[in-house]
Amino acid sequence: MITIQQLQFRYPAGNFQLVMDRFTVARSEKVAVIGPSGSGKTTLLNLVSGILLPGAGSIAVGGESISRLSEARRRDFRITTIGFVFQDFELFDYLNVLDNILHPYRITGALKLDRNVKARAAALAHEMGIGGMLKRHPDNLSQGEKQRVAICRALLPRPKLILADEATGNLDPDSKIRILNLLFRVVDEHDATLLAVTHDHELLIHFDRVVDFRHFRVREAA
Amino acid sequence: MIDSLYIAWRYICYNRFKSATLLICVTLIVSLPIALNVLLYESETQLMSRAAGTPLVIGQRGSALDLVMNTLYFDNEAPEPIPMAACEEIRDSDLALPIPVYARFQARDNPIVGTTLDYFEFRGLTLGQGRMLTMLGECVLGASVAERLGLGPGDSLVSSPESLFDLAGIYPLKMRVVGVFQKSHTADDLAVFVDIKTAWVIQGLGHGHQDVTRLQDPSLVLKRSDSSVAATAKLYHYTEITEETVGSFHFHGDLADYPITAVIAVPCDAKSGTILRGRYTEAGEKLQIVVPEEVIDGLLQQIFRIKSVLDAVIGVVATATVLALILVFVLSLRIRQREFYTTFKIGGSRLTIARLIAAEMLLIATGSSILCVMASIATALHADYLVRMLFIR
């Protein structure tokens, strides 16, 4: 699903540089990315999703070379193929829970918003335990509830690749497992792939593979 | 675009205080000059039409504007009175039809205008209800007065004393309403019309009391002789003129010396008007004759001079406000950078973000436009009242 070769990336300001000779994630694989803060985990997710472009090397997602796509096609590709759960939820305060979940459908023509989508959004929210909060605004939600909304937003377009940046970071232990199981279920149902950044070492056993970012090197684990 | 409008609408609703402030600022910037222009246009129309319909006004020397405003709009500032003889002199000259106007008193904050029946014909006032003045103590109401006070023929209206603490001053007179004029959309709608003699009764120059020749109560009689009877202060004075008491009302002295505030002169022709004007230009003449159109034109020139200053002030304030709004908007965009970046990360284009911002501006502009239109309509609908309040009374 993801193939990275000879990747080099550095931010215009600062000394940070991410170098990856080769990194692959197979379809339907559930991969956890661990590593200390500042090691480039979030940068990797941004590169895979096409938000950032590599200085050198190539990144292919589902056989499509991200960096070779035009900006418009890269955007459409991102919104239709990739579901991104951001580290700080990045919800819109002025939108209620339902509108936040439906937001990707409202900002692009690549996704079509209809009754079915709205019904699916409500069902997904219900499944996530936030079904009774659809009319609430994020500032009236707990951290955990916000995280669930962010996950719903990422999952609703049924993406082939889910990128999760600390998706369970703000949840209690029970909820972590529940959310993770839901993520895994969606991944399995849609034959999707999960690449998740986490600091929670207790959850690592649930993943197929763990990638350690220490020293900017990729280590494959059993 | 509908989705962008929806998101923008949500943003505006969520940030309602900020949006409302923005909306009010934009509305004020746009609607203030519009309202000012509407009011000035209305004031010009109103003032000029009535002034143009009043050929000449004769009154005491002094402020021509006060004289015209009192005679045409029954302004509270009554000019110094002139004797009724001034009116008779014009009548005797056969140069013009003189219409006396005595606009000094008030009834429940509405001007009481003492005049003759010629005034109603001259102004083209027609009765909507009841009948014309026929007897002392009667009044006919302007349409707006009748509407506001809820009065009609058969009701009564009491004149207001000029000073509550002046015991020797003017006592209230209970007047009978006998008619209501149809709406004329002029100052006449806001006045209470009485016969000139009724106005003098209100002033106390004419009065009615118990018949002193038939008084039996010794406490009422001060001195009695064959030719006269002197009554005490205990003598009862009537405060209402009825069919029973009207006979007792009388005036002391020469009516020619009785006061009026102005005479409207309607010249027979242009030549007569010119001759009449010439008579009041002599040195030592105590009266003045003015052409209301010229006086009002002078007033309007002043108003338009003030308007040009106001326009400049509004322009400066509007520029400052627009700059402040732009600053607020730019700061708001900077604060929202992260939000826009999230939209971009999810898959929104720069165009999408621009569309969202444009949709917000469009909604604010639409809201402001609606408010501006409403404000302009409200101003136009109430222009008559506002002009009267701001420029006339």
Side-chain angles (χ1 to χ4, degrees):
Chain A
M1 185 67 189
I2 303 171
T3 307
I4 296 175
Q5 287 180 319
Q6 306 300 321
L7 174 74
Q8 284 186 34
F9 175 81
R10 70 183 304 163
Y11 287 103
N15 296 323
F16 173 82
Q17 187 174 17
L18 179 65
V19 179
M20 295 174 88
D21 294 334
R22 183 175 168 77
F23 174 65
T24 58
V25 177
R27 175 180 277 192
S28 309
E29 200 177 10
K30 303 170 194 77
V31 178
V33 178
I34 60 167
S37 297
S39 59
K41 304 185 294 294
T42 301
T43 303
L44 174 69
L45 297 190
N46 286 337
L47 283 163
V48 170
S49 63
I51 293 169
L52 297 175
L53 290 177
S58 68
I59 301 170
V61 176
E64 195 82 62
S65 179
I66 293 280
S67 50
R68 285 188 191 160
L69 293 175
S70 67
E71 195 185 323
R73 284 206 53 203
R74 197 162 58 243
R75 249 188 347 257
D76 285 350
F77 183 78
R78 182 159 69 239
I79 207 161
T80 53
T81 313
I82 300 170
F84 208 137
V85 183
F86 300 106
Q87 195 169 11
D88 299 322
F89 329 126
E90 304 202 17
L91 300 177
F92 300 93
D93 286 340
Y94 55 88
L95 297 178
N96 63 27
V97 167
L98 183 62
D99 286 333
N100 260 295
I101 295 171
L102 293 172
H103 194 61
Y105 286 81
R106 288 205 163 101
I107 58 167
T108 177
L111 298 173
K112 194 174 180 308
L113 179 60
D114 56 28
R115 277 186 191 174
N116 285 339
V117 174
K118 288 181 182 174
R120 271 202 305 114
L124 189 60
H126 189 75
E127 209 169 349
M128 283 284 193
I130 51 170
M133 304 170 188
L134 294 179
K135 296 288 173 193
R136 282 205 212 164
H137 283 260
D139 47 10
N140 292 323
L141 300 177
S142 68
Q143 297 292 91
E145 287 162 350
K146 285 181 190 174
Q147 188 69 294
R148 289 170 210 211
V149 178
I151 291 170
C152 285
R153 182 174 67 186
L155 294 183
L156 188 64
R158 291 173 171 156
K160 288 288 172 199
L161 173 63
I162 296 165
L163 303 176
D165 198 353
E166 291 288 346
T168 55
N170 296 287
L171 304 176
D172 57 78
D174 286 347
S175 297
K176 275 181 188 175
I177 299 297
R178 200 169 139 209
I179 295 296
L180 201 64
N181 284 336
L182 183 68
L183 271 173
F184 285 174
R185 209 187 74 211
V186 173
V187 167
D188 292 338
E189 274 176 10
H190 297 96
D191 196 21
T193 308
L194 175 66
L195 183 61
V197 167
T198 182
H199 279 107
D200 203 333
H201 287 248
E202 289 174 9
L203 299 177
L204 295 181
I205 53 163
H206 298 282
F207 288 87
D208 298 333
R209 189 152 60 100
V210 176
V211 178
D212 192 344
F213 253 57
R214 226 170 302 167
H215 311 305
F216 314 128
R217 287 289 178 266
V218 177
R219 179 168 62 84
E220 291 199 4
Chain B
M1 191 62 191
I2 288 180
D3 285 324
S4 299
L5 283 170
Y6 176 80
I7 294 169
W9 174 246
R10 286 282 165 215
Y11 180 82
I12 286 169
C13 290
Y14 186 76
N15 298 288
R16 56 180 76 95
F17 292 113
K18 186 183 116 184
S19 305
T21 308
L22 206 62
L23 202 70
I24 289 166
C25 287
V26 176
T27 304
L28 282 177
I29 291 170
V30 180
S31 61
L32 263 181
I34 294 174
L36 195 64
N37 275 304
V38 168
L39 287 179
L40 282 176
Y41 175 76
E42 178 66 24
S43 67
E44 187 184 6
T45 311
Q46 245 189 61
L47 289 166
M48 281 312 280
S49 64
R50 195 152 168 93
T54 313
L56 295 167
V57 171
I58 295 124
Q60 189 67 263
R61 278 202 181 276
S63 166
L65 185 61
D66 282 354
L67 176 64
V68 169
M69 294 307 275
N70 179 262
T71 310
L72 270 60
Y73 301 100
F74 321 123
D75 188 279
N76 288 339
E77 294 297 317
E80 284 297 306
I82 58 171
M84 184 64 182
C87 184
E88 299 309 325
E89 278 173 25
I90 298 167
R91 193 185 307 280
D92 294 344
S93 72
D94 285 333
L95 291 170
L97 167 72
I99 303 168
V101 173
Y102 194 24
R104 174 182 159 182
F105 308 106
Q106 294 207 325
R108 290 167 71 178
D109 291 330
N110 299 289
I112 297 173
V113 180
T115 186
T116 58
L117 294 177
D118 291 332
Y119 181 87
F120 310 128
E121 196 180 333
F122 167 64
R123 290 287 187 213
L125 297 173
T126 51
L127 280 167
Q129 299 172 52
R131 59 169 174 80
M132 273 296 178
L133 306 167
T134 55
M135 202 179 86
L136 207 60
E138 291 178 342
C139 67
V140 177
L141 306 181
S144 300
V145 176
E147 196 179 300
R148 199 166 59 239
L149 301 182
L151 296 177
D155 295 324
S156 56
L157 180 64
V158 180
S159 67
S160 309
E162 285 194 317
S163 169
L164 278 174
F165 308 104
D166 182 9
L167 294 176
I170 292 152
Y171 284 84
L173 178 72
K174 189 175 179 183
M175 300 173 287
R176 267 186 301 135
V177 179
V178 293
V180 176
F181 285 123
Q182 283 182 351
K183 220 171 181 81
S184 65
H185 301 283
T186 65
D188 295 326
D189 290 340
L190 302 164
V192 176
F193 292 98
V194 296
D195 183 73
I196 191 85
K197 286 184 177 172
T198 305
W200 291 332
V201 171
I202 292 170
Q203 191 173 352
L205 298 173
H207 59 185
H209 48 72
Q210 291 169 286
D211 186 354
V212 289
T213 58
R214 295 181 186 173
L215 290 175
Q216 299 301 320
D217 184 355
S219 66
L220 290 171
V221 180
L222 201 63
K223 185 180 166 189
R224 191 189 292 269
S225 69
D226 291 341
S227 58
S228 66
V229 179
T232 65
K234 200 179 169 187
L235 184 74
Y236 180 75
H237 282 71
Y238 301 122
T239 54
E240 184 181 5
I241 305 170
T242 61
E243 284 176 9
E244 292 77 39
T245 62
V246 68
S248 74
F249 274 83
H250 54 276
F251 298 89
H252 296 280
D254 186 358
L255 291 186
D257 295 331
Y258 275 37
I260 53 175
T261 45
V263 179
I264 294 173
V266 187
C268 305
D269 48 43
K271 186 182 170 187
S272 304
T274 310
I275 296 169
L276 193 62
R277 288 178 73 181
R279 291 191 177 183
Y280 291 90
T281 54
E282 288 167 16
E285 176 59 56
K286 288 180 179 174
L287 304 183
Q288 64 171 332
I289 187 164
V290 295
V291 181
E293 199 171 358
E294 289 172 4
V295 176
I296 294 297
D297 193 48
L299 172 69
L300 287 173
Q301 295 300 326
Q302 292 282 357
I303 290 174
F304 281 104
R305 262 197 290 277
I306 294 168
K307 191 216 170 228
S308 60
V309 175
L310 271 178
D311 281 346
V313 171
I314 288 173
V316 171
V317 172
T319 308
T321 313
V322 167
L323 288 175
L325 288 179
I326 290 170
L327 181 70
V328 168
F329 190 70
V330 170
L331 288 175
S332 159
L333 290 187
R334 287 191 69 174
I335 290 167
R336 294 174 68 189
Q337 277 299 313
R338 187 179 168 152
E339 173 199 326
F340 296 141
Y341 188 52
T342 302
T343 300
F344 168 74
K345 284 197 288 187
I346 291 172
S349 63
R350 286 184 185 86
L351 184 67
T352 305
I353 294 163
R355 234 176 9 220
L356 287 174
I357 297 167
E360 284 168 23
M361 291 166 77
L362 181 71
L363 286 177
I364 293 285
T366 307
S368 297
S369 303
I370 291 169
L371 285 179
C372 280
V373 169
M374 285 167 68
S376 300
I377 290 172
T379 308
L381 284 176
H382 297 96
D384 184 42
Y385 169 75
L386 289 170
V387 163
R388 178 157 289 281
M389 196 176 74
L390 294 171
F391 299 109
I392 298 172
R393 288 178 76 179

